[in-house]
């Protein structure tokens, strides 16, 4: 994977993800019946606003930084399959799939099926998994931090070949396959995106297996993260320019910057009442506002350029939990950020 891959369906290069929209919450819907129509509306709005990809989280409980565990949460791949029929151009993915929740061969089949039904718009977002409460509640083995990354590496040794049409036989510590088949496929280069901020384990796996790395960290850490990623690529002889990067940002934008800041204050007040002990790393438990970008369209464009893109990051994926579901907000974000990331 040292060369930029090409899209075998069209003969052109694979689509980039320079601007993505993550849907992390379904609590704004008035009832369970209204949850999915709201998701469809947001995905269509993102598509119309020029976003490259729409993401849902792969969780069973709501995250502690967003709400209470019992708040609504849809199963990711069922949702993405339905969104494939409701959209036309936008790429579809999780941010990110928890490796511990599925057998890797089954996951390869699942995301490949999503690619088939969406006409080649699937991206496999994947990470090691971290939310212990879900593992306890659903009966999945959680294991140690080291165990989860060992499992992820072994899973990728199965998933990556299956996405390319190979038939891997693996007798590993965690997983076993024998000439695993994966048909039908519409292409041999379905993208793999790793998500996380670990400079040693996550970045090394991204350098080895991924087409895209979404960095989840504080914005002030980005210079160090980019240097670490370049080091991991150098260790295996990969040109870092062939590994696309993005940053996950919490965005609150409104034509009225004062309203955006009011929504931000309300979000921080809600977060302060949540139990943050379930977050994956100490760094993520600190400096939460370092990941927040707030204001009117000009404000957020300046912040994203200065705090993220100027450090060499290729793109941005925005989590707009405060008001992304409101009509017109995604169009506002797309018009503000699209010109920054879609430059030729």
């Amino acid at each position: 994977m040292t060369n930029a891959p090409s899209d075998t369906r069209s003969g052109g290069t694979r689509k980039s993800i320079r601007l993505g929209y993550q849907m992390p919450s379904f609590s704004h819907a008035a009832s369970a019946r209204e949850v999915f129509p709201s998701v469809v509306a947001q995905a269509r709005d993102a598509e119309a606003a020029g976003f490259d990809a729409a993401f849902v989280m792969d969780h069973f409980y709501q995250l502690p930084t967003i709400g209470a565990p019992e708040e609504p949460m849809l199963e990711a791949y069922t949702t993405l399959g339905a969104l494939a029929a409701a959209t036309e151009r936008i790429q579809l993915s999780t941010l990110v799939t928890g490796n511990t929740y599925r057998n890797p061969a089954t996951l390869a089949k699942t995301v490949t099926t999503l690619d088939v039904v969406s006409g080649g718009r699937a991206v496999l977002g994947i990470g090691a998994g971290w939310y212990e409460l879900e593992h306890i509640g659903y009966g999945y083995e959680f294991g140690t931090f080291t165990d989860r990354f060992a499992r992820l590496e072994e899973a990728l040794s199965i998933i990556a070949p299956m996405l390319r049409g190979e038939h891997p036989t693996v007798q590993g510590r965690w997983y076993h396959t024998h000439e695993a088949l994966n048909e039908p496929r519409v292409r041999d280069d379905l993208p793999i995106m790793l998500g996380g901020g670990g400079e040693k384990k996550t970045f090394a796996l991204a350098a080895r297996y991924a087409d895209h790395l979404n960095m989840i960290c504080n914005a002030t850490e980005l210079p160090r993260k980019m240097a670490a990623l370049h080091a991991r690529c150098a260790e295996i002889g990969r040109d870092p320019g062939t590994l696309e990067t993005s940053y996950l940002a919490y965005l609150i934008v409104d034509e009225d910057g004062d309203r955006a800041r009011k929504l931000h204050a309300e979000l921080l007040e809600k977060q302060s009442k949540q139990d943050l002990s379930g977050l994956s790393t100490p760094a993520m438990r600190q400096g939460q506002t370092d990941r927040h970008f707030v204001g009117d369209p000009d404000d957020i464009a300046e912040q994203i350029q200065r705090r993220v893109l100027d450090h060499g990051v290729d793109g941005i994926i925005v989590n707009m939990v405060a008001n992304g579901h409101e009509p017109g907000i995604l169009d506002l974000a797309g018009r503000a950020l699209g010109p920054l990331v879609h430059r030729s």
Side-chain angles (χ1 to χ4, degrees):
M1 293 182 59
T2 56
N3 297 312
S6 62
D7 186 328
T8 57
R9 293 174 300 112
S10 64
T13 57
R14 180 193 288 126
K15 293 180 180 178
S16 294
I17 300 176
R18 296 301 176 92
L19 183 60
Y21 176 59
Q22 183 197 42
M23 292 174 273
S25 174
F26 311 114
S27 298
H28 53 268
S31 69
R33 290 184 181 276
E34 296 178 48
V35 169
F36 186 65
S38 174
V39 173
V40 170
Q42 290 177 70
R44 287 174 171 168
D45 284 351
E47 185 171 71
F51 283 75
D52 301 309
F55 298 87
V56 296
M57 301 195 303
D58 185 30
H59 286 290
F60 309 120
Y61 300 163
Q62 184 53 273
L63 304 191
T65 51
I66 297 176
E70 61 269 18
E71 291 184 18
M73 182 58 59
L74 298 178
E75 193 281 320
Y77 282 97
T78 309
T79 304
L80 292 172
L83 285 178
T87 56
E88 296 179 358
R89 299 178 305 279
I90 200 164
Q91 296 175 83
L92 301 168
S93 185
T94 60
L95 191 62
V96 287
T97 303
N99 177 62
T100 47
Y101 299 143
R102 295 170 188 83
N103 171 280
T106 301
L107 176 58
K109 169 60 75 174
T110 299
V111 74
T112 300
T113 299
L114 175 64
D115 204 45
V116 171
V117 301
S118 66
R121 292 186 285 133
V123 175
L124 173 60
I126 191 167
W130 61 270
Y131 196 3
E132 186 173 12
L133 184 63
E134 291 179 329
H135 290 75
I136 294 171
Y138 275 60
Y140 291 107
E141 181 181 356
F142 189 60
T144 66
F145 177 84
T146 299
D147 286 344
R148 293 195 299 280
F149 272 91
R151 291 178 67 171
L152 176 59
E153 182 170 12
E154 197 171 288
L156 286 167
S157 75
I158 295 169
I159 294 168
M162 288 183 68
L163 297 184
R164 295 193 295 265
E166 300 173 17
H167 308 151
T169 294
V170 173
Q171 296 298 319
R173 177 184 175 191
W174 305 98
Y175 305 113
H176 309 276
T177 62
H178 180 73
E179 298 181 3
L181 302 174
N182 187 27
E183 300 295 341
R185 292 170 297 104
V186 295
R187 53 178 169 165
D188 291 334
D189 63 343
L190 192 157
I192 296 174
M193 179 183 75
L194 261 68
E199 298 171 16
K200 294 182 179 180
K201 295 181 182 294
T202 299
F203 288 11
L205 289 175
R208 183 177 175 187
Y209 288 104
D211 304 282
H212 189 115
L213 172 66
N214 177 249
M215 288 178 284
I216 303 173
C217 61
N218 291 335
T220 51
E221 297 176 302
L222 282 171
R224 190 184 79 241
K225 299 293 183 184
M226 291 298 291
L229 179 60
H230 284 214
R232 300 294 84 77
C233 287
E235 287 166 0
I236 64 167
R238 179 173 182 176
D239 176 0
T242 67
L243 177 55
E244 188 177 57
T245 56
S246 62
Y247 176 71
L248 178 62
Y250 288 79
L251 186 74
I252 303 178
V253 62
D254 193 276
E255 288 282 15
D256 182 349
D258 288 338
R259 179 174 185 264
R261 287 181 281 274
K262 182 176 183 292
L263 290 171
H264 186 226
E266 293 171 354
L267 176 65
L268 292 176
E269 181 180 3
K270 179 179 180 181
Q271 288 182 340
S272 71
K273 296 177 182 178
Q274 302 299 328
D275 176 13
L276 301 184
S277 63
L279 285 173
S280 58
T281 68
M284 291 176 64
R285 292 196 290 270
Q286 301 173 0
Q288 288 298 301
T289 57
D290 195 19
R291 303 171 66 193
H292 294 179
F293 300 76
V294 182
D296 64 31
D298 289 339
D299 292 332
I300 62 150
E302 185 278 330
Q303 293 170 34
I304 291 293
Q305 183 66 54
R306 172 175 51 84
R307 297 169 57 194
V308 178
L309 301 177
D310 282 350
H311 298 299
V313 180
D314 296 317
I316 192 85
I317 297 173
V318 294
N319 171 320
M320 302 178 66
V321 64
N323 66 339
H325 59 283
E326 295 179 4
I329 294 298
L330 281 169
D331 181 66
L332 203 64
R335 286 189 283 114
L337 301 181
L340 303 182
V341 296
H342 289 143
R343 295 169 178 166
S344 57

